[in-house]
Amino acid sequence: MSRSARRITAAVLASGALVAAAALPAVADGRDHGRGHHAPRPTVVLGKIQYDSPGRDNGSNRSLNGEWVTVTNTGRHTVNLRGWTLSDESHRTYKFDLRLPGRSSVRVHTGVGRDTRHDVYQDRRSYVWDNRDTATLRDAHGHKVDSKSWGHRHHGPRR
């Protein structure tokens, strides 16, 4: 191969690498930019929900804390949930102020209690989750991350 042919080949390869590097952030940001790429599943999802407190619904703190929603980080890395919200169909909203380690869960209880790594409390004096409701998890920008419904006429969770 001649010296000029090698230079042309090198220039073409270098320009191709620059174009690929410039395009990478748009694809790697996890959003679908109309190129047919699918956004990755969120790593923070709603898990099991106990919407009907076991026993009598007598309004006691124990009964209120018997209803809860589990939020799970399925990813390997810690996610900062500060400013994220969990709400029901009536717009009763809990605002998070915690970091959720990778591959771990936290239960969000309705009543009053002392927050720990595995349990946080909304500090409410009345029930939140009805027998027919939807739990919606939103990030700090207000974007819906996940939702689960129960007791509605449809089959399975609504997203």
Side-chain angles (χ1 to χ4, degrees), residues 21-32:
L24 181 61
V27 175
D29 68 1
R31 288 183 246 152
D32 184 353

Side-chain angles (χ1 to χ4, degrees), residues 65-138:
N65 283 329
E67 68 171 24
W68 42 261
V69 175
T70 304
V71 177
T72 300
N73 179 357
T74 62
R76 293 183 320 167
H77 304 288
T78 297
V79 175
N80 186 356
L81 297 184
R82 179 177 229 156
W84 287 43
T85 60
L86 176 65
S87 59
D88 72 341
E89 287 181 353
S90 298
H91 305 290
R92 290 173 284 207
T93 301
Y94 172 76
K95 194 170 203 173
F96 289 90
D97 186 17
L98 64 93
R99 296 172 59 82
L100 187 59
R103 296 191 175 110
S104 68
S105 297
V106 64
R107 275 190 182 173
V108 181
H109 298 271
T110 298
V112 176
R114 173 180 262 155
D115 292 350
T116 68
R117 290 184 320 147
H118 302 287
D119 296 278
V120 295
Y121 299 85
Q122 296 188 52
D123 296 332
R124 294 185 180 273
R125 305 265 184 222
S126 60
Y127 298 98
V128 172
W129 308 109
D130 300 323
N131 290 334
R132 194 174 114 183
D133 213 338
T134 299
T136 302
L137 180 67
R138 295 185 183 277

